[in-house]
Amino acid sequence: MKLVFATNNLNKLSEIRSLIPPEIEILSLKDINCKDDLPETCNTLEGNALQKALYVFDNYGFNCFADDTGLEVDILGGEPGVYSARYAGEDCNSENNINKLLKKMNGKKERGASFRTVIALVIQAEHTLFEAHCRGIITKRKSGVEGFGYDPVFIPNGFDKTFAEMSKHQKGAISHRGQAVKKLVAFLSTN
Ligand code: IMP
């Protein structure tokens, strides 16, 4: 079976390829010659994941899936959530986002947070959503160079190192995306 993973984020593509069994061939946007910026204008993870997957299905005709992920920090009322990618502004990068987060968390004792991922699968115009989250804490400073995004400041519960200090394999075994992908694979193997 062939599925397009609708993302322009090469880190996500690499994580997903390491999580999906070989009988499911993952095509990238580059593989289908799609150079578009995918639309993400909804105010929920569910809405954005579906919007990206439907964009690729409607415009390129491939069965596909997309993921939308947010970091939800308890004491910030779930911020940055669906706005995680542009937390520090439209043209900001992960470092800017992390710096803003650490500043907001400065002096806070309650540091609980979740990463939440929604995957939208579109097969022959029919869609299905898969959701998963990973609980942890926001650290006081960055640690580690693996992974991407907010990984250097997130320690998952039950561990003493950040996602950015873990291998891709170790992160995938416990992460929000890893859990959501397990649900996707289980669905694909029974449908
Ligand atoms: P999106 O799902 O591509 O919209 O990502 C939203 C934001 O969360 C971006 O800033 C990503 O870098 C960040 N992000 C998404 N997935 C992860 C992850 O697994 N670890 C850390 N940050 C992530």
Side-chain angles (χ1 to χ4, degrees):
M1 155 177 238
K2 284 185 186 189
L3 275 181
V4 172
F5 180 35
T7 187
N8 282 309
N9 180 331
L10 296 182
N11 289 299
K12 279 190 187 176
L13 181 63
S14 157
E15 275 192 13
I16 290 276
R17 281 199 162 128
S18 75
L19 292 165
I20 298 259
E23 48 282 12
I24 304 170
E25 188 186 343
I26 301 296
L27 302 177
S28 66
L29 291 179
K30 199 171 163 211
D31 291 330
I32 62 164
N33 213 12
C34 165
K35 298 183 180 120
D36 311 346
D37 267 339
L38 303 182
E40 275 189 77
T41 55
C42 301
N43 58 7
T44 60
L45 299 178
E46 287 78 3
N48 280 338
L50 190 54
Q51 192 181 21
K52 289 185 271 190
L54 282 175
Y55 178 89
V56 170
F57 181 80
D58 290 343
N59 291 285
Y60 292 84
F62 285 90
N63 291 333
C64 65
F65 65 99
D67 128 327
D68 206 53
T69 295
L71 175 63
E72 301 173 339
V73 181
D74 301 350
I75 200 153
L76 302 181
E79 258 187 44
V82 71
Y83 303 109
S84 295
R86 21 180 214 270
Y87 194 37
E90 277 306 323
D91 291 320
C92 59
N93 58 25
S94 290
E95 193 171 340
N96 305 140
N97 287 335
I98 287 179
N99 290 341
K100 176 170 178 181
L101 177 65
L102 291 183
K103 210 166 166 189
K104 281 217 168 194
M105 295 296 284
N106 193 19
K108 303 256 192 296
K109 285 209 166 61
E110 166 52 61
R111 306 190 71 90
S114 301
F115 268 117
R116 198 161 74 82
T117 287
V118 175
I119 290 178
L121 170 72
V122 176
I123 296 197
Q124 305 306 341
E126 294 250 340
H127 73 261
T128 313
L129 299 180
F130 308 90
E131 192 267 354
H133 70 273
C134 178
R135 283 292 297 167
I137 56 156
I138 304 299
T139 55
K140 293 190 175 147
R141 58 194 69 83
K142 287 179 256 186
S143 205
V145 295
E146 302 300 323
F148 66 100
Y150 296 89
D151 281 348
V153 292
F154 185 86
I155 296 183
N157 284 351
F159 292 80
D160 58 4
K161 53 187 180 181
T162 67
F163 271 156
E165 295 173 296
M166 295 181 181
S167 67
K168 198 182 297 170
H169 182 75
Q170 201 177 4
K171 178 186 172 190
I174 54 171
S175 77
H176 42 296
R177 187 166 299 104
Q179 303 302 318
V181 166
K182 271 188 198 142
K183 294 181 184 178
L184 168 73
V185 171
F187 176 87
L188 289 171
S189 58
T190 53
N191 284 273

